[in-house]
Amino acid sequence: MAIKLTDLSLRTIDSITKRTNPYTFTIDQISPYAIYSSLRKLGMPNGQVPNQSSQWCYEVRLPQALLSIYEWKLYGCLVDIYPDDQQAASAESIFRELQNLFMHLANQEKSSRSQKAKASAYLLLQNPYQLYLESAEALLREAEQINDQHVQHTFCRSAFFLLLSSFEGLLNLVFEMYSRPEARANEAAYKRTISMPLDQKILFAPMLCMCFTGHSIDFPGDTLQRYTAIRQLRNNFIHANMTDEMRTVIIHEDGYSFLIEPPQTNKQYNLPLVISGLRLEHLHFTKTAIIDMKNALLEAMTPHLRHDFAQALKKDAIIVERTATHYKIHKQL
């Protein structure tokens, strides 16, 4: 028999029942907010949260069971079911019906939640810089432990693209958070701006973003030159361009075969000109160049924004509040 919301009533679960082992199920296909909005019609949360990973908990009674429904780490909900007959089959049946109920109510209230989402000033922004950098560093650590050179070189190629993407993600994050209001005013023009080639973004960032102190970014020493060198390799590698360095001439003479290889490295930094030449030392060079670019970008920021942004960059996601001019970083929800 299908469960209806009217079948649920708030009921605190007694301590004796809680000492028994419940049947626990996960709801991860329906947002916690949708479930909370449905349960909120019964009243305020009445249960004690089981741990610090939960914000709220509802304890409710069904005709055939007691339930504890609580949010889990923001992205899902857990349901502890105490069936009156203590049977696993009963708990599983109740959970299926409960999940169907929440899915039905979530679909009914989708428009209302969308309106509230549009009105909210708060966002959780994914941090592509940290996500890509962490992944690249994990691949590098694995590559350093691998004896099979073919596998090691495969890891190097994957890490190279992640490292390059990490800085591109950083620059995109800066534009997302700090673009000047006048730059955002025309949506079509703003889309063209954020789609600019990366070298133009670096050049125009101080003029288009309000977080910088001057009209240009000072890159110490050969920071920009090193980044430009690996960026040029990236353009050929990512598009799999058939460059001259990929063409090895074969000469047949006196019954022998000889290979005449073109130059395989960049003279200035000894970087490989073909993707098959990427080795661990080139990845360490690339990582250093990316971090130096990041540090130069931070140094060019106004002091009051630099500290919070630098700390936020260490996290996989950044909590922000939309203001009239830019995103304001918050340390916690």
Side-chain angles (χ1 to χ4, degrees):
M1 184 175 178
I3 295 175
K4 301 186 294 292
L5 188 62
T6 53
D7 293 330
L8 283 82
S9 59
L10 297 181
R11 178 78 62 86
T12 302
I13 302 175
D14 62 272
S15 58
I16 295 175
T17 300
K18 284 188 176 180
R19 281 199 288 269
T20 64
N21 291 326
Y23 296 95
T24 302
F25 301 88
T26 303
I27 304 178
D28 53 13
Q29 300 300 315
I30 308 169
S31 76
Y33 182 56
I35 294 173
Y36 178 85
S37 298
S38 298
L39 292 171
R40 183 65 178 80
K41 296 172 183 176
L42 304 176
M44 290 295 291
N46 64 326
Q48 184 176 1
V49 294
N51 52 57
Q52 293 182 345
S53 296
S54 303
Q55 296 184 97
W56 52 264
C57 174
Y58 275 92
E59 294 180 356
V60 298
R61 177 73 192 177
L62 279 173
Q64 69 275 42
L66 286 166
L67 312 178
S68 178
I69 306 168
Y70 47 99
E71 171 253 10
W72 181 255
K73 296 184 177 180
L74 296 173
Y75 287 104
C77 286
L78 296 180
V79 183
D80 292 340
I81 300 179
Y82 303 85
D84 292 344
D85 63 9
Q86 299 182 353
Q87 298 299 306
S90 298
E92 290 171 1
S93 175
I94 291 168
F95 174 70
R96 285 195 299 271
E97 293 301 326
L98 186 69
Q99 191 165 229
N100 289 339
L101 170 66
F102 285 140
M103 183 66 75
H104 174 70
L105 294 173
N107 290 334
Q108 279 188 336
E109 298 167 0
K110 187 175 181 179
S111 176
S112 173
R113 291 197 308 277
S114 295
Q115 290 176 0
K116 289 182 179 180
K118 288 179 181 178
S120 176
Y122 295 89
L123 291 171
L124 186 65
L125 294 179
Q126 283 196 6
N127 176 4
Y129 170 77
Q130 182 66 7
L131 289 168
Y132 281 88
L133 184 63
E134 279 182 347
S135 297
E137 289 175 333
L139 288 175
L140 278 174
R141 287 193 296 271
E142 288 294 321
E144 288 170 343
Q145 303 301 317
I146 294 172
N147 293 323
D148 186 322
Q149 285 197 342
H150 177 75
V151 176
Q152 185 185 80
H153 298 164
T154 299
F155 275 67
C156 287
R157 290 192 285 271
S158 299
F160 178 80
F161 292 119
L162 287 168
L163 286 170
L164 266 292
S165 294
S166 68
F167 181 75
E168 191 165 353
L170 169 60
L171 208 54
N172 289 337
L173 188 62
V174 169
F175 272 79
E176 170 72 15
M177 294 181 61
Y178 299 116
S179 286
R180 297 182 184 277
E182 55 270 29
R184 296 182 190 269
N186 185 309
E187 186 175 351
Y190 181 65
K191 285 183 178 179
R192 289 195 297 272
T193 297
I194 60 178
S195 299
M196 287 190 300
L198 199 62
D199 55 345
Q200 293 183 27
K201 268 189 178 179
I202 295 171
L203 178 64
F204 293 116
M207 291 168 272
L208 296 173
C209 300
M210 55 171 293
C211 58
F212 296 105
T213 55
H215 295 296
S216 63
I217 299 172
D218 179 25
F219 295 101
D222 66 344
T223 298
L224 185 59
Q225 288 87 342
R226 283 183 287 125
Y227 176 74
T228 301
I230 57 176
R231 177 75 186 169
Q232 288 172 345
L233 298 181
R234 177 261 182 205
N235 292 339
N236 283 334
F237 293 173
I238 199 71
H239 298 297
N241 294 332
M242 290 300 300
T243 60
D244 287 342
E245 291 77 19
M246 296 172 69
R247 300 181 179 96
T248 297
V249 175
I250 304 171
I251 294 178
H252 297 292
E253 188 171 314
D254 297 332
Y256 304 110
S257 297
F258 301 91
L259 300 181
I260 309 299
E261 290 190 292
Q264 296 292 304
T265 57
N266 160 293
K267 288 183 180 180
Q268 188 174 11
Y269 297 111
N270 201 34
L271 293 171
L273 299 176
V274 290
I275 194 169
S276 60
L278 281 172
R279 301 293 183 265
L280 280 172
E281 61 268 25
H282 306 130
L283 271 295
H284 291 300
F285 176 92
T286 301
K287 178 183 173 182
T288 300
I290 294 300
I291 291 176
D292 288 348
M293 287 290 289
K294 180 261 295 185
N295 290 337
L297 207 67
L298 290 175
E299 283 300 315
M301 287 183 164
T302 57
H304 73 283
L305 293 176
R306 180 194 307 142
H307 177 266
D308 286 348
F309 187 69
Q311 293 303 309
L313 278 184
K314 298 174 183 178
K315 302 176 181 178
D316 290 346
I318 303 172
I319 304 160
V320 297
E321 177 187 1
R322 283 182 287 209
T323 69
T325 57
H326 66 289
Y327 288 160
K328 180 182 177 182
I329 295 173
H330 286 260
K331 294 181 180 179
Q332 56 188 2
L333 291 174

